[in-house]
Amino acid sequence: MNGGPAAGGDRVVVRPRSAVAALVAAAALGLATGRFVLPAPPGATAHPAARSGAAAGGATQGGSALAAPGASAPTPESSASGSASASSTGATGATGPLTTANLLAPAAFGPDVGSKQIHVTDRYGDGVYANAACSGEKTLTQTLGGPGAHFRGLTTGTRTADDPTRAVDHADQVAREVAAEAQSPSRAQNFSERLLLEEVPCQESTPGHWVYGRTTTVRLGPDVTASWMGTYQGSLNTTGTAPEGKEPCGGIAVLRSGTHYGVLEVDACLGTAAMDRVVRTALSQL
């Protein structure tokens, strides 16, 4: 999945600092400003690879059984300075196998892409997900220990890359979702927190580079939650963080419903209200 906006050519800049330094700095900033921070999972290491514009996951890669994770980290919450969509409807978390029926459908984007037809491409296996340029690019196997997952690409064009869930032309990519199931709700929670941890350092970057905004938490039930961050173009980043009072252009969400978990990256240029609606739809579907 793409870690940031394509416009402006600023998305290929890779953060030079290590993951440890990034998290230490983020923790310090969190104490001062209340920005969202999570502790690193046991044994986690940063991946030094820079993000490339080309797809890195093959369409026929196979998946393997989930490996046991480390201890679960604290449950993510929205930042103290952010707006939290924390309303609960008493939704019950998923317990059965995850299938393509649990993935986001094109109808969720109907109001936002106009008359363009949205094409759906699915595959199952391993591959790169929404690792952002600031944290390198890894596969789910590298991050979580070997899960097989459902990958869905939502595009307005039919030309796809080596990974068929990715459009050759980034402008054709509406969204991409990666979702899988864990052996227990607690393990799904652990996985979702570790996936979110990968993206948190991207809330800070050198002025002129794209950044993620503050974290918003959506809670539909005790174990039906999502955390999402909007994407801001580099031209709006003048202080090293997302600007206040400006609308995002798409974003990223980490989802969890019972034993199901996933990552949704929205490439379509959606503002806050539309992002919140799409994330809620994806969460209720998961």
Side-chain angles (χ1 to χ4, degrees), residues 54-102:
T60 59
Q61 290 172 303
S64 59
L66 291 171
S72 177
T75 302
E77 296 293 345
S78 61
S79 63
S81 60
S83 58
S85 301
S87 60
S88 175
T89 61
T92 302
T95 57
L98 187 141
T99 69
T100 55
N102 298 114

Side-chain angles (χ1 to χ4, degrees), residues 26 38 42 49 52 54 104 118 128 173 189-190 196 225 232 242-243 246 274:
L38 280 177
S52 66
L104 193 63
I118 299 178
V128 295
Q173 193 85 39
Q189 178 181 349
N190 177 276
L196 183 59
T225 64
Y232 291 83
K246 298 292 185 179

Side-chain angles (χ1 to χ4, degrees), residues 21 29 76 82 87 108-109 121 183 192-193 236 254 274 278 283:
L29 182 64
S87 60
F109 296 94
T121 304
Q183 296 174 0
S192 64
E193 289 165 358
L236 296 177
V254 176
V278 168
L283 183 58

Side-chain angles (χ1 to χ4, degrees), residues 35-47:
R35 291 189 67 80
F36 178 78
V37 178
L38 280 177
T45 56
H47 189 276

